[in-house]
Amino acid sequence: GAGVSQSPRYKVAKRGQDVALRCDPISGHVSLFWYQQALGQGPEFLTYFQNEAQLDKSGLPSDRFFAERPEGSVSTLKIQRTQQEDSAVYLCASSLYTKGGVNTEAFFGQGTRLTVV
Amino acid sequence: RKEVEQDPGPFNVPEGATVAFNCTYSNSASQSFFWYRQDCRKEPKLLMSVYSSGNEDGRFTAQLNRASQYISLLIRDSKLSDSATYLCVVNSQTNDYKLSFGAGTTVTVRA
């Protein structure tokens, strides 16, 4: 497809369950971002990849959160032992590349809405 | 203090009206500024970049004030289709790939 694709679109998990969220960025996009968006809030940065390298994971809220992009394209965000406070929309974005001081446009996927019950 | 702060609104305006709102950012080293639009239950999409000299895109005008560290967006001749949440987005020179988002300003245009 032409855009960023995320799956699943909706996920309901029981507290304590592990979940895996997938992101297919736009082909050829070097940069990949994960954001978490709580209801009524703007997206909050979680982590960033440049190709397969995870350059910044400072936004991951706890060690239960883990992200990978092993071949520099598809990325997976994994949340272990989910808690109710993890309920949010998880957005993935990709961009062609990032020049120093100037971002190129980031394109977002439609997100995965995670509800932990 | 959050990196990017916005007036959440909502701004309820009639069709044809002009609406304007600001956002402030805390990092004086920030180099890139954007306005994104997010419709209900949809992903954010780039509306426009914001340049130092200010810029216009049709009915939308963006301004940057580095001294006071704020960005503004003005919408002229509002359309029903302009109803959305507008997200102010800023990056910093130290982490130029990290985009920081405001919580959004909600605009509702009524007939």
Side-chain angles (χ1 to χ4, degrees):
Chain A
V4 178
S5 177
Q6 291 188 246
S7 61
R9 289 290 311 281
Y10 303 92
K11 176 70 180 177
V12 178
K14 290 184 178 177
R15 193 171 52 183
Q17 187 179 352
D18 297 350
V19 297
L21 313 180
R22 178 188 168 104
C23 171
D24 268 282
I26 294 172
S27 178
H29 277 198
V30 169
S31 300
L32 185 144
F33 312 80
W34 282 98
Y35 284 82
Q36 179 190 59
Q37 186 170 25
L39 193 63
Q41 299 297 312
E44 295 281 348
F45 173 82
L46 292 177
T47 187
Y48 164 73
F49 290 86
Q50 188 175 87
N51 296 307
E52 70 279 359
Q54 188 175 23
L55 297 189
D56 187 342
K57 54 182 181 179
S58 62
L60 296 177
S62 77
D63 59 8
R64 296 186 296 103
F65 287 71
F66 172 77
E68 60 182 3
R69 193 186 184 197
E71 296 176 1
S73 55
V74 171
S75 177
T76 304
L77 176 67
K78 297 179 179 178
I79 310 173
Q80 297 177 321
R81 304 182 303 281
T82 51
Q83 303 295 316
Q84 280 194 309
E85 62 263 27
D86 300 335
S87 296
V89 175
Y90 290 85
L91 293 163
C92 175
S94 70
S95 69
L96 188 55
Y97 64 96
T98 298
K99 297 185 288 186
V102 179
N103 282 76
T104 60
E105 181 181 354
F107 294 86
F108 283 81
Q110 290 187 297
T112 294
R113 185 175 298 274
L114 173 66
T115 304
V116 181
V117 298
Chain B
R1 183 186 170 191
K2 297 200 76 160
E3 280 193 58
V4 181
E5 301 211 45
Q6 293 183 247
D7 181 344
F11 288 80
N12 293 304
V13 300
E15 266 188 298
T18 295
V19 59
F21 42 89
N22 294 340
C23 105
T24 57
Y25 60 95
S26 61
N27 189 341
S28 60
S30 295
Q31 293 293 319
S32 300
F33 310 90
F34 310 88
W35 283 103
Y36 273 69
R37 171 193 170 128
Q38 187 171 28
D39 293 297
C40 189
R41 293 182 172 263
K42 299 284 191 180
E43 72 275 22
K45 292 184 179 177
L46 179 68
L47 177 68
M48 59 196 300
S49 301
V50 185
Y51 303 117
S52 295
S53 54
N55 49 300
E56 205 171 287
D57 184 359
R59 297 180 294 105
F60 297 84
T61 301
Q63 295 283 348
L64 168 63
N65 185 317
R66 284 189 185 273
S68 301
Q69 293 181 213
Y70 76 82
I71 308 148
S72 65
L73 182 67
L74 182 145
I75 308 172
R76 284 187 303 278
D77 187 24
S78 300
K79 310 291 184 193
L80 294 175
S81 57
D82 294 335
S83 298
T85 296
Y86 292 85
L87 300 168
C88 175
V89 185
V90 173
N91 80 338
S92 71
Q93 193 170 20
T94 49
N95 285 297
D96 63 0
Y97 49 78
K98 182 180 173 182
L99 299 177
S100 295
F101 285 76
T105 297
T106 300
V107 173
T108 303
V109 182
R110 62 183 189 274

